[in-house]
Amino acid sequence: MSGSQAAGSTEQGAASAEAAEKEFEPKIVAFLCNWCSYAGADLAGVSRLQYPPNIRIIRVMCSGRISPMLVLRALKDGADGVLVSGCHPGDCHYLKGNLYTRRNLQLLRSMLEYYGIEADRFQMSWVSASEGGKFADVVKTAVEKVRKLGPNNKFKVIDSADGGE
Amino acid sequence: MSDEKIREEAKKALRERGLKCVIGWSADGTPFFAETEEDADKLSFNEHCANNLVTYLTQEVRSQRGKTRDGKDKIVKPVGIVVRGCDSKALRLLLNENILSRSEVFIIGVPCTGVVDKRAGDVLYRKCVKCAMRNPVVYDVLASDQVPEDEKDYSEVEAIENMSPEERWTFWEEIFADCIRCHACKRSCPVCYCDECLLDPTDVAIRPDTTADEKAHRPRWVERSVNVRENLVYHLARMPHLAGRCVDCGECERVCPQRLPLRLLTAKLEKDVKKIFNYEAACEDGQKPLIAMSKMEDENEFIM
Amino acid sequence: MSKSILRKEKVADALNALGHASIVYIPIKNKRGLVEYRELGKEASVADIKLDCKPDVPPKAIMFPQTQVLFAFKRVGGKIKLAPTVPDEREKIIFGVRPCDTIAISVMDKVFMGGKFVDSYYKVRREKVAVFTIACDGPADANCFCPSTGGSPVGTEGSDVMLYDVGDSYYVEGISDRGKKLLEGMSANLERPSPDQEKKRDEIIRKAASAEGFAKRIAPESITKLDSSFDSKYWDDVARKCLSCGACTYYCPTCHCFDINDEKGGKRVRTWDSCQFSNFTMHTSSHNPRTAKAQRLRNRYYHKFKYSKDSTGRYLCVGCGRCIALCPAGLDITKVISEVR
Amino acid sequence: MSDENHYIPHVAEITGIMQETTGERAVKTFKVAFKDKSAEIKFKPGQTCMVSVFGKGESMFAISQSPTRGSLEFSVQRVGRVTEMLHELEVGDEVGIRGPYGNGFPVEQWKGKNIYFIAGGIGMAPVRAVMNYVVDNKNDYGELHLIYGARTSRDLSFKAEIDALEQGGAIDVRRTIDVEEPGWTLLDNKNPEQSKFDPSSRKFTGFVATTVSAMKCSPDNALAVICGPPIMIKTSIGSLAKLGWKDEQIYTTLENKMKCGIGKCGRCNIGGVYVCVDGPVFTYAQVKKMLNDQ
């Protein structure tokens, strides 16, 4: 059920239903690497740090696993934004996975911009296992940026009556 | 003049090197496979010879590979090819990526001053108006003298970069609405050599031992439906796969039956790769792939 | 007034008159120089209309869209609910079709509405379509070969209204009852033909009958020869050049192969498919009756010139020459059929 | 009738599942009943239906039960996208069915004949339908034989049902397996004619074609129905031909990838023949002609 993103995440977010209706609540898919960023998110939780509930976390073994396809698939299937987070350069559990991804995704970001799609729909961060506070901040920033952009309409397609073009 | 040289070299190589065939163009500009010395007399190069033949080269070499009954590698007869400057760069990339080995190919280079678009009434292809790769970069023999080259021209890409995001989106949305995903761009691309393409739901490699599980859970990255969204993802996802590999030969744009300006994508990609990573596809023999050259000190600014 | 004159400067008015009751599709030149059919008023303006050439894209998609949702499905309380799509039942006029494409429509009618089963999705769309054909004055471009496939530059089959370009006007002739009725609706823009115009129109027909000027041709004996050239080595030679893209099939006015898939969001979708794709016939078990490019290519040519002729009595090729113009590898169907032995 | 929308399936509920075999390529038989009774179909043995698993797609399957038994059944091997999902369904789950398609076996023409049913692997599915039909109308037909082969004894489907038929004396059954197992009489695949054939033995190790040769199936007033993997069909036909069978006496079913089932989508053709509407049942005489046009 792609394209239903606008309605999604209200129940967990805003205080009153009325406010939720007014304000767009983005849905963000976050790919976190197992060794740093996921642990960082865990720490944020254990430390009871507050951050917006708009993200849906998918744990991957290494940010190097994130191919541009996964980012595009998330956007195509209704996410308003995508966040990829891994270890700081030099700290990758697999030595260079995050460096590979950085090159790959930087080009994707640049292409997104070239197509006229807001580049901020796709964001990247380095968060280590000890940076619970940074993780909360990253999520806050990411959500605010996407909130400003509004719903992800460019990947949406409306079929005509019998689907023919 | 170059025709004679091409024919002569092709004949010589067919005779002396035991080539399977020489891939070239016939006088009408269509691809031609010369298997005998007699055939070789039909080889030609003129302004109508627009195909990038490197795609065929991979096909001809690969079709010979495999194992014999007693488990030995089959003998691969070398294949000859006639290449222009842009083609030769694509060929060099394949050599760098070990898709072909240098001993499997015999290369006749033809410096080129541009080829014409039959559909548009025999005017030069846009890629040929200003071209920075007129002379072959990898070859065994050259069929004519080298010609002067131009600076790479990115003005069309820059024009789009200078648009507002909304203008850019409108521009591309209109283009992608017209794509019919016939896959001609992908099938003709000399560096798209995978057996199975994840962007093409019609192209799945199934072997007799592929399990039901594998087939059932194979992701469909792009649906078969043809609409702006699927087309957008198709053309977006193609780019990272071509990063540091696409030599901007323009074959995709040439074959597109809808005349989509696909080189605006590949040229932009090339420009970015150059600007951000100071890397140029196939600029030297034995070059490592772009991603493998990732460095600690790569740009980090866009990362939080 | 079944025979009349429509001045070229009045075409826009006439189309507007038709547009009241129907959607009008008309060839326009798009930004990239491609002539294709678009909905007048919505996607195309009068200024872009281009009637003096064979459009680069056939009108096939108006009756047989590239992507068509067959129905939607949903799980409600554990039970499957199906929701058939609402058919597009708007009246449509395709204006400015060339005779090859018009014949193609009647060939497609046979495919989708003939035989044991009728394809209801095609039928609903097709029955709402009226075709205004502009006769060609000889070959429309260098790739035309309609006389070789039983067509003619002035063929009226499948047309509701025929138009002949007689200089500053079109000579208009109602063919079907429906066409005649539509002409009544635009009678305000029509005039009586002058003897001179009658003569010009007859001249066009006479010229067409001689099938002069066609550079491309398939001799009837070449087609009969297909019976014995199935195992020819020539197919391998042709296949060597083929890139297995779908350009020829997608632009063919009579290619009708399709795929059906369940897609995200609970839709069963029918999309165009191409017999040139390697997985077109592949079984789940990986067995593939047409593994080699040569087999797939041969199947296409045989389907067009033999199988279809044997079973329905007519070729599945109308000689529009688009596959020749568009083939990235420069394959030429007339050459292939003529040269195979 | 002609304006009917053939692409929309009728929803049916799975009312019974039989696990026929297990393993990577397991076979299950699904019994289904239409939710809307008016959607019920009349079919002939050998006809096929498109079965949908909504969200995954649809595939063409032979109906594996005789119309005389009052239920609609499909026996499905787990090989791909749709079948994998089918195998995960349970009783009470819903699928889509449209059909029946294809010509079916010409059972009316067969009256009075001796029939050899020859099946290999999942090819038993259509054979089961026509065999049960013939058994249920036993008085119309002559002697009945079944030669049914699989890779191992565990891969033989419909065990209880075939055992019951055999014990009831309705049909003479010979089972064959490819891999030797204790208790199964060994046949010589290389020299099938020389194999010693013990008429009292019901279980053989050897190819189906070998068994056909060893049994010396008689072509007199007889016909054969062969279904199975292409290589098994080919070799079995070879064996029959050596025994003096004519091409017209041999019936087989073909399969090809199908999408529409109604002769439109253009992928199941062999030459000018569409397997979905003109088949899937052909005599070997017809097949021979078509295979030239593959």
Side-chain angles (χ1 to χ4, degrees), chain B residues 144-189:
Chain B
S144 62
D145 295 336
Q146 302 219 342
V147 294
E149 292 176 346
D150 309 300
E151 279 284 298
K152 182 86 193 190
D153 177 22
Y154 290 118
S155 56
E156 283 175 329
V157 173
E158 278 153 10
I160 296 175
E161 286 172 338
N162 292 333
M163 293 180 184
S164 75
E166 277 315 306
E167 280 169 351
R168 281 202 293 268
W169 172 250
T170 324
F171 176 81
W172 287 113
E173 194 184 21
E174 227 172 71
I175 285 170
F176 293 139
D178 281 356
C179 173
I180 58 166
R181 290 231 309 281
C182 64
H183 297 300
C185 45
K186 190 194 73 149
R187 305 269 164 131
S188 64
C189 177

Short mmCIF file of all heavy atoms in Angstrom, two decimals, chain B residues 144-189:
data_model
loop_
_atom_site.label_atom_id
_atom_site.label_comp_id
_atom_site.label_asym_id
_atom_site.label_seq_id
_atom_site.Cartn_x
_atom_site.Cartn_y
_atom_site.Cartn_z
N SER B 144 43.80 5.05 -39.26
CA SER B 144 44.07 6.34 -39.89
C SER B 144 44.74 7.25 -38.88
O SER B 144 44.92 6.88 -37.72
CB SER B 144 42.78 6.95 -40.43
OG SER B 144 41.88 7.19 -39.38
N ASP B 145 45.07 8.44 -39.31
CA ASP B 145 45.79 9.35 -38.44
C ASP B 145 44.89 9.89 -37.33
O ASP B 145 43.67 10.01 -37.52
CB ASP B 145 46.33 10.54 -39.26
CG ASP B 145 47.37 10.06 -40.26
OD1 ASP B 145 47.97 8.99 -40.01
OD2 ASP B 145 47.56 10.74 -41.28
N GLN B 146 45.52 10.22 -36.22
CA GLN B 146 44.75 10.76 -35.11
C GLN B 146 44.17 12.12 -35.48
O GLN B 146 44.69 12.82 -36.33
CB GLN B 146 45.65 10.89 -33.89
CG GLN B 146 46.28 9.56 -33.50
CD GLN B 146 46.34 9.35 -32.02
OE1 GLN B 146 46.24 10.30 -31.26
NE2 GLN B 146 46.50 8.12 -31.60
N VAL B 147 43.08 12.47 -34.82
CA VAL B 147 42.41 13.74 -35.12
C VAL B 147 42.38 14.58 -33.85
O VAL B 147 42.46 14.05 -32.74
CB VAL B 147 40.97 13.49 -35.62
CG1 VAL B 147 40.99 12.77 -36.96
CG2 VAL B 147 40.16 12.71 -34.61
N PRO B 148 42.28 15.91 -34.02
CA PRO B 148 42.24 16.75 -32.81
C PRO B 148 40.94 16.54 -32.02
O PRO B 148 39.89 16.28 -32.60
CB PRO B 148 42.31 18.18 -33.37
CG PRO B 148 41.94 18.07 -34.81
CD PRO B 148 42.26 16.68 -35.26
N GLU B 149 41.05 16.65 -30.71
CA GLU B 149 39.88 16.45 -29.84
C GLU B 149 39.46 17.76 -29.20
O GLU B 149 40.23 18.72 -29.18
CB GLU B 149 40.23 15.42 -28.75
CG GLU B 149 40.44 14.04 -29.32
CD GLU B 149 40.86 13.03 -28.27
OE1 GLU B 149 41.25 13.45 -27.17
OE2 GLU B 149 40.82 11.83 -28.58
N ASP B 150 38.22 17.78 -28.69
CA ASP B 150 37.73 18.99 -28.02
C ASP B 150 37.80 18.80 -26.51
O ASP B 150 37.99 17.69 -26.02
CB ASP B 150 36.27 19.25 -28.42
CG ASP B 150 36.08 19.22 -29.91
OD1 ASP B 150 36.71 20.04 -30.58
OD2 ASP B 150 35.29 18.37 -30.39
N GLU B 151 37.60 19.89 -25.81
CA GLU B 151 37.41 19.84 -24.37
C GLU B 151 36.06 19.19 -24.11
O GLU B 151 35.12 19.38 -24.87
CB GLU B 151 37.38 21.25 -23.78
CG GLU B 151 38.75 21.86 -23.55
CD GLU B 151 39.43 21.28 -22.32
OE1 GLU B 151 38.87 21.44 -21.23
OE2 GLU B 151 40.49 20.63 -22.48
N LYS B 152 35.94 18.45 -23.03
CA LYS B 152 34.63 17.89 -22.68
C LYS B 152 33.68 19.03 -22.37
O LYS B 152 34.02 19.98 -21.65
CB LYS B 152 34.77 16.99 -21.45
CG LYS B 152 33.49 16.33 -21.04
CD LYS B 152 33.24 15.04 -21.79
CE LYS B 152 31.83 14.58 -21.58
NZ LYS B 152 31.60 13.23 -22.09
N ASP B 153 32.50 18.94 -22.94
CA ASP B 153 31.54 20.03 -22.81
C ASP B 153 30.40 19.60 -21.88
O ASP B 153 29.66 18.67 -22.17
CB ASP B 153 30.99 20.36 -24.20
CG ASP B 153 29.93 21.44 -24.15
OD1 ASP B 153 29.93 22.19 -23.16
OD2 ASP B 153 29.11 21.51 -25.07
N TYR B 154 30.30 20.27 -20.74
CA TYR B 154 29.23 19.94 -19.80
C TYR B 154 28.15 21.01 -19.76
O TYR B 154 27.39 21.09 -18.81
CB TYR B 154 29.80 19.75 -18.39
CG TYR B 154 30.64 18.50 -18.24
CD1 TYR B 154 31.98 18.58 -17.91
CD2 TYR B 154 30.06 17.24 -18.41
CE1 TYR B 154 32.75 17.44 -17.76
CE2 TYR B 154 30.83 16.10 -18.26
CZ TYR B 154 32.17 16.20 -17.95
OH TYR B 154 32.92 15.07 -17.80
N SER B 155 28.11 21.86 -20.79
CA SER B 155 27.20 23.01 -20.68
C SER B 155 25.74 22.60 -20.55
O SER B 155 24.98 23.22 -19.83
CB SER B 155 27.40 23.93 -21.89
OG SER B 155 27.20 23.19 -23.07
N GLU B 156 25.36 21.50 -21.21
CA GLU B 156 23.96 21.08 -21.11
C GLU B 156 23.62 20.61 -19.70
O GLU B 156 22.53 20.85 -19.18
CB GLU B 156 23.67 19.96 -22.11
CG GLU B 156 23.53 20.49 -23.53
CD GLU B 156 23.36 19.39 -24.54
OE1 GLU B 156 23.90 18.29 -24.32
OE2 GLU B 156 22.69 19.63 -25.56
N VAL B 157 24.59 19.91 -19.08
CA VAL B 157 24.38 19.47 -17.71
C VAL B 157 24.30 20.67 -16.78
O VAL B 157 23.43 20.77 -15.91
CB VAL B 157 25.54 18.55 -17.26
CG1 VAL B 157 25.43 18.22 -15.79
CG2 VAL B 157 25.53 17.28 -18.10
N GLU B 158 25.19 21.62 -17.01
CA GLU B 158 25.19 22.81 -16.16
C GLU B 158 23.89 23.59 -16.28
O GLU B 158 23.39 24.12 -15.29
CB GLU B 158 26.39 23.70 -16.51
CG GLU B 158 27.67 23.21 -15.84
CD GLU B 158 28.93 23.59 -16.60
OE1 GLU B 158 28.82 24.40 -17.55
OE2 GLU B 158 30.00 23.06 -16.24
N ALA B 159 23.34 23.59 -17.47
CA ALA B 159 22.07 24.30 -17.66
C ALA B 159 21.00 23.71 -16.75
O ALA B 159 20.19 24.43 -16.18
CB ALA B 159 21.65 24.23 -19.11
N ILE B 160 21.03 22.39 -16.63
CA ILE B 160 20.02 21.76 -15.76
C ILE B 160 20.35 22.00 -14.30
O ILE B 160 19.47 22.30 -13.49
CB ILE B 160 19.93 20.25 -16.05
CG1 ILE B 160 19.43 20.06 -17.48
CG2 ILE B 160 19.01 19.55 -15.07
CD1 ILE B 160 19.42 18.65 -17.94
N GLU B 161 21.64 21.93 -13.97
CA GLU B 161 22.03 22.19 -12.58
C GLU B 161 21.61 23.59 -12.14
O GLU B 161 21.31 23.81 -10.97
CB GLU B 161 23.55 22.05 -12.44
CG GLU B 161 24.02 20.61 -12.46
CD GLU B 161 25.54 20.48 -12.52
OE1 GLU B 161 26.21 21.44 -12.94
OE2 GLU B 161 26.04 19.42 -12.14
N ASN B 162 21.59 24.52 -13.10
CA ASN B 162 21.25 25.89 -12.74
C ASN B 162 19.75 26.14 -12.63
O ASN B 162 19.34 27.22 -12.24
CB ASN B 162 21.86 26.86 -13.75
CG ASN B 162 23.37 26.88 -13.65
OD1 ASN B 162 23.91 26.60 -12.57
ND2 ASN B 162 24.04 27.17 -14.75
N MET B 163 18.96 25.13 -13.00
CA MET B 163 17.51 25.31 -12.84
C MET B 163 17.15 25.23 -11.36
O MET B 163 17.93 24.73 -10.55
CB MET B 163 16.76 24.19 -13.55
CG MET B 163 16.86 24.19 -15.05
SD MET B 163 15.90 22.75 -15.62
CE MET B 163 16.20 22.80 -17.35
N SER B 164 15.96 25.70 -11.03
CA SER B 164 15.47 25.51 -9.66
C SER B 164 15.04 24.05 -9.52
O SER B 164 14.74 23.39 -10.53
CB SER B 164 14.27 26.42 -9.41
OG SER B 164 13.14 25.91 -10.07
N PRO B 165 15.01 23.53 -8.30
CA PRO B 165 14.63 22.12 -8.12
C PRO B 165 13.29 21.81 -8.78
O PRO B 165 13.14 20.76 -9.40
CB PRO B 165 14.54 21.97 -6.60
CG PRO B 165 15.43 23.00 -6.05
CD PRO B 165 15.42 24.14 -7.02
N GLU B 166 12.34 22.72 -8.65
CA GLU B 166 11.02 22.45 -9.24
C GLU B 166 11.10 22.36 -10.76
O GLU B 166 10.50 21.51 -11.39
CB GLU B 166 10.00 23.50 -8.81
CG GLU B 166 9.39 23.23 -7.45
CD GLU B 166 8.98 21.77 -7.25
OE1 GLU B 166 8.23 21.23 -8.10
OE2 GLU B 166 9.41 21.16 -6.24
N GLU B 167 11.89 23.24 -11.35
CA GLU B 167 12.07 23.20 -12.81
C GLU B 167 12.72 21.88 -13.23
O GLU B 167 12.35 21.26 -14.22
CB GLU B 167 12.96 24.35 -13.27
CG GLU B 167 12.26 25.69 -13.38
CD GLU B 167 13.26 26.83 -13.57
OE1 GLU B 167 14.48 26.62 -13.46
OE2 GLU B 167 12.80 27.94 -13.83
N ARG B 168 13.72 21.50 -12.45
CA ARG B 168 14.41 20.25 -12.77
C ARG B 168 13.44 19.09 -12.73
O ARG B 168 13.41 18.23 -13.60
CB ARG B 168 15.55 20.00 -11.77
CG ARG B 168 16.79 20.79 -12.04
CD ARG B 168 17.99 20.14 -11.39
NE ARG B 168 17.93 20.18 -9.94
CZ ARG B 168 18.45 21.13 -9.18
NH1 ARG B 168 19.07 22.13 -9.74
NH2 ARG B 168 18.36 21.09 -7.88
N TRP B 169 12.64 19.07 -11.66
CA TRP B 169 11.69 17.96 -11.52
C TRP B 169 10.72 17.94 -12.68
O TRP B 169 10.45 16.89 -13.26
CB TRP B 169 10.95 18.05 -10.18
CG TRP B 169 9.86 17.05 -10.10
CD1 TRP B 169 8.53 17.30 -10.12
CD2 TRP B 169 10.01 15.63 -10.03
NE1 TRP B 169 7.82 16.12 -10.06
CE2 TRP B 169 8.71 15.08 -10.00
CE3 TRP B 169 11.10 14.77 -9.99
CZ2 TRP B 169 8.47 13.70 -9.95
CZ3 TRP B 169 10.86 13.40 -9.93
CH2 TRP B 169 9.57 12.89 -9.91
N THR B 170 10.20 19.08 -13.05
CA THR B 170 9.25 19.13 -14.17
C THR B 170 9.92 18.62 -15.44
O THR B 170 9.33 17.88 -16.22
CB THR B 170 8.77 20.58 -14.42
OG1 THR B 170 8.65 21.22 -13.16
CG2 THR B 170 7.46 20.62 -15.15
N PHE B 171 11.16 19.06 -15.62
CA PHE B 171 11.92 18.65 -16.79
C PHE B 171 12.03 17.12 -16.86
O PHE B 171 11.71 16.49 -17.87
CB PHE B 171 13.32 19.29 -16.72
CG PHE B 171 14.25 18.88 -17.83
CD1 PHE B 171 14.17 19.49 -19.06
CD2 PHE B 171 15.21 17.91 -17.62
CE1 PHE B 171 15.03 19.13 -20.08
CE2 PHE B 171 16.07 17.54 -18.64
CZ PHE B 171 15.98 18.15 -19.88
N TRP B 172 12.46 16.52 -15.76
CA TRP B 172 12.67 15.07 -15.77
C TRP B 172 11.37 14.29 -15.73
O TRP B 172 11.25 13.23 -16.32
CB TRP B 172 13.56 14.65 -14.60
CG TRP B 172 14.98 15.06 -14.80
CD1 TRP B 172 15.68 15.99 -14.08
CD2 TRP B 172 15.89 14.57 -15.80
NE1 TRP B 172 16.95 16.11 -14.56
CE2 TRP B 172 17.12 15.25 -15.62
CE3 TRP B 172 15.79 13.63 -16.83
CZ2 TRP B 172 18.23 15.02 -16.42
CZ3 TRP B 172 16.90 13.41 -17.62
CH2 TRP B 172 18.10 14.09 -17.42
N GLU B 173 10.39 14.82 -15.02
CA GLU B 173 9.11 14.12 -14.92
C GLU B 173 8.53 13.92 -16.31
O GLU B 173 8.04 12.85 -16.65
CB GLU B 173 8.15 14.91 -14.04
CG GLU B 173 6.94 14.10 -13.63
CD GLU B 173 5.94 14.92 -12.84
OE1 GLU B 173 5.94 16.16 -12.93
OE2 GLU B 173 5.13 14.30 -12.13
N GLU B 174 8.62 14.97 -17.12
CA GLU B 174 8.10 14.90 -18.47
C GLU B 174 8.85 13.83 -19.28
O GLU B 174 8.26 13.08 -20.05
CB GLU B 174 8.32 16.25 -19.14
CG GLU B 174 7.11 16.77 -19.86
CD GLU B 174 7.36 18.20 -20.30
OE1 GLU B 174 8.17 18.38 -21.22
OE2 GLU B 174 6.77 19.11 -19.70
N ILE B 175 10.15 13.78 -19.06
CA ILE B 175 10.96 12.82 -19.81
C ILE B 175 10.65 11.38 -19.36
O ILE B 175 10.46 10.49 -20.17
CB ILE B 175 12.45 13.16 -19.65
CG1 ILE B 175 12.75 14.38 -20.52
CG2 ILE B 175 13.34 11.99 -20.04
CD1 ILE B 175 14.08 14.98 -20.30
N PHE B 176 10.58 11.19 -18.06
CA PHE B 176 10.35 9.84 -17.57
C PHE B 176 8.92 9.36 -17.84
O PHE B 176 8.66 8.17 -17.91
CB PHE B 176 10.70 9.72 -16.10
CG PHE B 176 12.17 9.90 -15.86
CD1 PHE B 176 12.64 10.63 -14.79
CD2 PHE B 176 13.08 9.35 -16.74
CE1 PHE B 176 14.00 10.81 -14.60
CE2 PHE B 176 14.44 9.52 -16.56
CZ PHE B 176 14.90 10.25 -15.49
N ALA B 177 8.01 10.31 -17.99
CA ALA B 177 6.66 9.91 -18.34
C ALA B 177 6.64 9.25 -19.72
O ALA B 177 5.78 8.45 -20.03
CB ALA B 177 5.73 11.12 -18.32
N ASP B 178 7.61 9.59 -20.55
CA ASP B 178 7.65 9.06 -21.91
C ASP B 178 8.47 7.79 -22.07
O ASP B 178 8.48 7.18 -23.12
CB ASP B 178 8.20 10.12 -22.86
CG ASP B 178 7.14 11.15 -23.22
OD1 ASP B 178 5.99 10.96 -22.77
OD2 ASP B 178 7.46 12.12 -23.91
N CYS B 179 9.20 7.41 -21.03
CA CYS B 179 10.02 6.19 -21.14
C CYS B 179 9.10 4.98 -21.18
O CYS B 179 8.16 4.89 -20.40
CB CYS B 179 10.97 6.09 -19.95
SG CYS B 179 11.87 4.53 -19.89
N ILE B 180 9.34 4.07 -22.11
CA ILE B 180 8.49 2.89 -22.19
C ILE B 180 9.23 1.64 -21.69
O ILE B 180 8.73 0.53 -21.80
CB ILE B 180 7.97 2.64 -23.62
CG1 ILE B 180 9.15 2.52 -24.58
CG2 ILE B 180 7.05 3.76 -24.07
CD1 ILE B 180 8.76 1.95 -25.92
N ARG B 181 10.40 1.86 -21.16
CA ARG B 181 11.22 0.78 -20.60
C ARG B 181 11.31 -0.43 -21.53
O ARG B 181 11.01 -1.56 -21.18
CB ARG B 181 10.69 0.35 -19.22
CG ARG B 181 10.91 1.41 -18.17
CD ARG B 181 11.58 0.91 -16.92
NE ARG B 181 11.00 -0.24 -16.32
CZ ARG B 181 9.91 -0.23 -15.57
NH1 ARG B 181 9.30 0.92 -15.31
NH2 ARG B 181 9.44 -1.33 -15.06
N CYS B 182 11.77 -0.16 -22.74
CA CYS B 182 12.02 -1.24 -23.68
C CYS B 182 13.37 -1.86 -23.41
O CYS B 182 13.74 -2.87 -24.00
CB CYS B 182 11.96 -0.73 -25.12
SG CYS B 182 13.26 0.46 -25.49
N HIS B 183 14.12 -1.25 -22.50
CA HIS B 183 15.43 -1.74 -22.09
C HIS B 183 16.50 -1.65 -23.18
O HIS B 183 17.53 -2.28 -23.07
CB HIS B 183 15.35 -3.17 -21.56
CG HIS B 183 14.50 -3.28 -20.33
ND1 HIS B 183 14.79 -2.60 -19.19
CD2 HIS B 183 13.38 -3.97 -20.07
CE1 HIS B 183 13.88 -2.87 -18.27
NE2 HIS B 183 13.00 -3.69 -18.79
N ALA B 184 16.24 -0.88 -24.21
CA ALA B 184 17.25 -0.74 -25.25
C ALA B 184 18.50 -0.07 -24.69
O ALA B 184 19.62 -0.45 -25.03
CB ALA B 184 16.70 0.06 -26.42
N CYS B 185 18.32 0.91 -23.78
CA CYS B 185 19.47 1.61 -23.22
C CYS B 185 20.39 0.63 -22.49
O CYS B 185 21.60 0.68 -22.61
CB CYS B 185 19.02 2.72 -22.27
SG CYS B 185 17.72 2.27 -21.12
N LYS B 186 19.75 -0.25 -21.74
CA LYS B 186 20.51 -1.18 -20.93
C LYS B 186 21.13 -2.29 -21.78
O LYS B 186 22.27 -2.68 -21.57
CB LYS B 186 19.51 -1.77 -19.93
CG LYS B 186 20.11 -2.57 -18.85
CD LYS B 186 19.01 -3.35 -18.17
CE LYS B 186 18.57 -4.46 -19.07
NZ LYS B 186 18.12 -5.64 -18.41
N ARG B 187 20.36 -2.78 -22.74
CA ARG B 187 20.87 -3.89 -23.54
C ARG B 187 21.99 -3.46 -24.48
O ARG B 187 22.79 -4.27 -24.90
CB ARG B 187 19.75 -4.51 -24.37
CG ARG B 187 18.57 -4.95 -23.55
CD ARG B 187 18.69 -6.38 -23.11
NE ARG B 187 17.74 -6.62 -22.03
CZ ARG B 187 16.90 -7.63 -21.98
NH1 ARG B 187 16.92 -8.55 -22.88
NH2 ARG B 187 16.06 -7.75 -20.97
N SER B 188 21.99 -2.20 -24.85
CA SER B 188 23.02 -1.77 -25.79
C SER B 188 24.25 -1.26 -25.06
O SER B 188 25.29 -1.05 -25.68
CB SER B 188 22.47 -0.66 -26.69
OG SER B 188 22.17 0.46 -25.89
N CYS B 189 24.13 -1.05 -23.76
CA CYS B 189 25.23 -0.45 -23.00
C CYS B 189 26.42 -1.40 -22.96
O CYS B 189 26.29 -2.54 -22.55
CB CYS B 189 24.77 -0.15 -21.58
SG CYS B 189 26.09 0.50 -20.55
#
